[in-house]
Amino acid sequence: MLRVAVVGSGPSGCYTAQTLVQRDPAVHVDVLDRLPCPYGLVRYGVAPDHEKIKSLQGSLRTVLEHERVRFLGGVRVGGSGGLPVERLRELYHAVVYCVGAATDRRLGVPGEDLPGSWSATEFVSWYSAHPDAADAGFLRGVRSAVVVGVGNVAVDVTRMLVRGAAELRPTDIPQAALDVLAASGLTDVHMVGRRGPAQARFTTKELRELGGLPGTEVVVDKEELALDPADPGTLPAGPRRNVEVLRGWATQPSAAAVRRIRLRFFLRPVELLEGAGRVSAVRFERTVPDGRGGVTGTGRYEDIPAQLVLRSVGYRGVPLEGLPFDPASGTVPHLEGRVLRDGTPSPGEYVAGWIKRGPTGVIGTNRPCAKETVISLLADAPALGHTDVPADPVAALRAAGTEPVPWNGWLAIERAEAELGARLGRSVVKLSDWDALLGAARVP
Ligand SMILES: Cc1cc2nc3c(=O)[nH]c(=O)nc-3n(C[C@H](O)[C@H](O)[C@H](O)COP(=O)(O)OP(=O)(O)OC[C@H]3O[C@@H](n4cnc5c(N)ncnc54)[C@H](O)[C@@H]3O)c2cc1C
């Protein structure tokens, strides 16, 4: 009987476990996560107001409740205080790393570390109740915000910044974040792309949603759209629809609104400016198309006032101590999911998801990615299955100083979140700190 550890309970970890038990009638899978809660970015990334996508947790749940799958939360692999990769490898016939891409890319411009300048990751983690996130006073004294980037995460944070209490209350957003967002004095969010609308990475569905937010007007500059030489008729369907939506907004009459989302293009950030000890504006250089799909600077500058700057220019994997890592791509080198050590497949070590292919694609993209890895693993299984491994690795985890949070512990957290919601007159409300989560998980 093959025993496999999957590290990470996000979509790629769950799809890996699911494919394993579907394809091998005898395999047993432990899904380990450093958090006491499962589902990775579906719980801690997907925006709270996107309830339909959040409901995917229901199908991931059925995987973790499978009779040959076991969730072990609160188990960190690698890093300080974590279970070493080498030790984990001794406990299972095979280990699949599905640890995601935990950090964000930087802008690399002066002023990036000023108070008031954050990564979208930090802001998302805060409103998603990630236990590592802190209330950094994101919205204190903020009237104008700049979001750098034009992908779906940039759209998410822009939308969350202008959402009002009535729209957020029915979601599972933690109460403290709800209170801060509801009381914010923010009036303007500038979402800014360095290239043109035809190159923006957001999807049309997400973009359109910005046009339907109560009390909020979307403002697009006709002249900026005209800078793009791309003939919409020749564009692929997605970018063409985006340009159509933006053109519609550019020609609509101004409406009476409490808040404005300004979509800006052909501006690249060159510096974050300081005023009164914090960020006060972002200096952008106007760019123009270079004829090869990129842009070039013009030497003309524009300052956009902002007391909050969120950069959303992509995610990056972080190295896991003991595993090889390619710093250029931010991924673990692999061949069809087999981890490569010095260019050679390492027996019993695999990767899937964002740490394997980089931070691209939607949740569903992780399913074929996991399948490829599982096919490799099961092809190797006859050679792997001969190794002696402990009948139950949990005793070894305990001996290594880790007390895993079992599935029942997670169910207890779910109950505590439902009870908190009921006390606040809301539905489920997420617990947002380690003590509260672990306290709830240990309730018998
Ligand atoms: C802000 C944001 C919003 C998104 N919204 C959408 C959306 O609306 N729709 C959509 O289709 N896609 C969305 N995506 C993309 C989607 O979330 C990803 O495709 C998907 O989560 C990647 O899955 P993964 O399993 O590789 O990584 P993750 O979901 O990040 O899961 C990784 C897991 O590994 C665990 N882990 C990490 N390190 C360790 C360790 N050392 N030891 C133990 N456990 C560890 C983490 O705790 C986590 O649970 C969004 C992404 C982001 C960043």
Side-chain angles (χ1 to χ4, degrees), residues 205 298 364 367 394 442:
K205 185 165 171 278
T298 60
R367 193 187 277 280
V394 168
R442 307 280 183 224

Side-chain angles (χ1 to χ4, degrees), residues 8 11-12 33-34 40-41 53 75 77 99-100 315 320 354 362-363 366:
S12 63
D33 203 292
R34 73 182 192 85
L41 284 170
I53 304 171
V75 181
V77 176
V99 291
Y315 281 73
L320 187 70
W354 274 13
V362 291
I363 291 167
N366 297 293

Side-chain angles (χ1 to χ4, degrees), residues 294-434:
V295 287
T296 178
T298 60
R300 284 185 287 121
Y301 296 90
E302 174 178 341
D303 293 351
I304 300 183
Q307 301 78 39
L308 170 68
V309 177
L310 298 176
R311 60 175 183 278
S312 178
V313 289
Y315 281 73
R316 253 188 92 68
V318 288
L320 187 70
E321 205 181 313
L323 263 198
F325 187 71
D326 171 19
S329 62
T331 58
V332 171
H334 73 96
L335 185 67
E336 294 171 343
R338 294 179 178 94
V339 171
L340 294 176
R341 290 189 184 266
D342 301 322
T344 309
S346 168
E349 291 187 303
Y350 303 85
V351 276
W354 274 13
I355 194 63
K356 170 184 171 188
R357 60 173 208 283
T360 57
V362 291
I363 291 167
T365 318
N366 297 293
R367 193 187 277 280
C369 175
K371 184 176 161 197
E372 181 194 57
T373 297
V374 169
I375 289 172
S376 296
L377 190 159
L378 292 179
D380 301 344
L384 299 170
H386 294 307
T387 337
D388 275 345
V389 295
D392 189 0
V394 168
L397 291 176
R398 289 199 179 113
T402 302
E403 182 59 45
V405 173
W407 187 248
N408 275 346
W410 159 243
L411 295 181
I413 292 175
E414 279 193 319
R415 279 196 302 279
E417 294 189 334
E419 281 160 22
L420 175 61
R423 279 203 301 282
L424 293 166
R426 297 174 53 196
S427 57
V428 169
V429 174
K430 278 171 156 180
L431 299 173
S432 53
D433 64 80
W434 279 102

Side-chain angles (χ1 to χ4, degrees), residues 30-82:
D30 282 347
V31 179
L32 280 46
D33 203 292
R34 73 182 192 85
L35 299 176
C37 312
Y39 313 137
L41 284 170
V42 183
R43 179 172 161 94
Y44 288 116
V46 172
D49 61 337
H50 275 177
E51 275 145 358
K52 200 164 160 216
I53 304 171
K54 285 255 171 223
S55 70
L56 268 173
Q57 291 179 68
S59 61
L60 302 183
R61 176 192 197 102
T62 55
V63 176
L64 297 177
E65 288 186 333
H66 188 281
E67 58 187 357
R68 285 181 285 122
V69 177
R70 177 169 62 169
F71 173 72
L72 299 173
V75 181
R76 178 196 286 273
V77 176
S80 94

Side-chain angles (χ1 to χ4, degrees), residues 104-105 117-124 138 157 309-312:
D104 56 279
R105 290 183 185 275
S117 163
W118 309 98
S119 67
T121 321
E122 288 164 305
F123 186 62
V124 169
F138 292 102
V157 298
V309 177
L310 298 176
R311 60 175 183 278
S312 178

